[in-house]
Amino acid sequence: MDEEFEGYITAAPYTHVYYPESAPSHLQLATLNRSVPFPPFRPLRYLELGYGNGVSLNIHAAASPGNYWGTDINTAHAATANALAAASGSGLKALTSSFEELLERPDLPQFDVIAALGVWSWVSDANRKTIVELLRRHLVEGGLFCMSSIAMPGFGELAPLQRLLRLNLKNDVTSGTIFEKLESGIGLAKALQKAGSQFLAEDSFAGRKLETMKTADRAYLVHEYLHEHWKPTLFADTASQLQAAGLRFVGSAKPLDQFDELNFRPEALDLLASVDDPWLRETARDFLRSGHVRHDIYVKRNEPLQGQAFSRPALDLEFVPEFLASMPDRYLIASSAQAIVAHAGAVLQTLKVPAALRFIKIRAVGAALNGARQIVNVIHEGSGRTVLVSASDVAVEVVAY
């Protein structure tokens, strides 16, 4: 296997990791909370660009009926993904095509969901343009695009460190495996830090990130920092590129990030509320956060989204509390919102957690009878703290801060 493909490292496989953000059920809840319809009910047509070892793609194909495709240029990834698919019998197609080759396939269907996690900020400009063209041609009207990207301005501070690691990798005198070259680069950065580099000082953002590299998974570090085209971007720049494919920003794929009051101080909330332009407002949010990777959802539609920014329909769902292991009764099944509310106050008193963070894990049970909102009201009245509903692929959580 070649060490790279168009500047993207292929010498080592990625970690075996699952991304709940791209799960169909997770996307359905995240878009519901922005009043954006999920693609119409039918066997879901789903494409993942850059599926890694295929863990997420296989779990989704096994758990959610549909027609699943994926492509990744690493042949080791494809071998693992296809072995998982054979074991599950899901029938998914795990290809080893480049994005350009995939675009030219005559049998490539239209898709309801296209996912690209760990791709956009790590590939070349040419590949990003191909992704936009794939979205333009093969994402249906009303279809969703779930993506991750390295956010500016926070991660921009790491650009010099990333380039240092990349330059060391390509140095003619740096030899060994891809992991040995990684260690060589980290060693050089540590030597610079000890020699007095202010940029890499222990209390700097880059210095703290360098410290975390000591114990981080080596395969993760290779794929995170050694690609040639590693490129943090402002949200507005990414949204502008995707607009060429007819995509409009829906919101974060991480439900916690959809609730500003849980992420920012009151003065920041007032400032964000004063910004009318949605791209500028979302870009401003990133200036209020520390360096992070964005997980976003876009929808393909002609008309602009209106009113979604403050819409929270997820709070109108009905839920069933699931007690923690320390509770006398591990599970509580309640058939009505009233039964749930009757137990909510007792739950707050019984949970052995710090007063600053009260936590109840709950599972969705179907009909929307306003149960979640009633739980939220009880918790809020009992603790005087802000409350939100968020979700993962397997559970829904009510968290009171």
Side-chain angles (χ1 to χ4, degrees), residues 204-271:
S204 68
F205 183 62
R208 293 192 299 272
K209 183 62 68 173
L210 184 60
E211 180 65 22
T212 67
M213 291 183 183
K214 287 182 178 180
T215 56
D217 184 278
R218 286 6 229 170
Y220 162 78
L221 292 178
V222 165
H223 283 268
E224 181 65 37
Y225 294 108
L226 295 189
H227 301 310
E228 173 63 30
H229 302 289
W230 190 89
K231 186 178 181 180
T233 54
L234 287 174
F235 164 81
D237 295 333
T238 299
S240 177
Q241 289 178 274
L242 294 174
Q243 189 179 51
L247 270 62
R248 299 182 184 274
F249 177 64
V250 174
S252 175
K254 290 179 174 292
L256 277 173
D257 288 346
Q258 294 185 3
F259 294 81
D260 283 346
E261 65 268 37
L262 298 177
N263 294 286
F264 306 120
R265 297 180 299 182
E267 55 267 35
L269 297 177
D270 292 340
L271 176 60

Side-chain angles (χ1 to χ4, degrees), residues 86-138:
S88 69
S90 65
L92 68 83
K93 294 185 179 181
L95 309 174
T96 55
S97 304
S98 68
F99 298 152
E100 186 175 3
E101 291 168 342
L102 183 69
L103 182 62
E104 299 306 320
R105 283 183 68 110
D107 61 339
L108 190 68
Q110 296 287 294
F111 294 99
D112 303 300
V113 174
I114 296 179
L117 299 181
V119 173
W120 184 264
S121 297
W122 295 265
V123 298
S124 66
D125 289 340
N127 274 297
R128 277 187 284 273
K129 290 179 181 178
T130 303
I131 291 172
V132 171
E133 187 62 17
L134 275 164
L135 293 166
R136 190 184 70 81
R137 294 191 202 177
H138 291 280

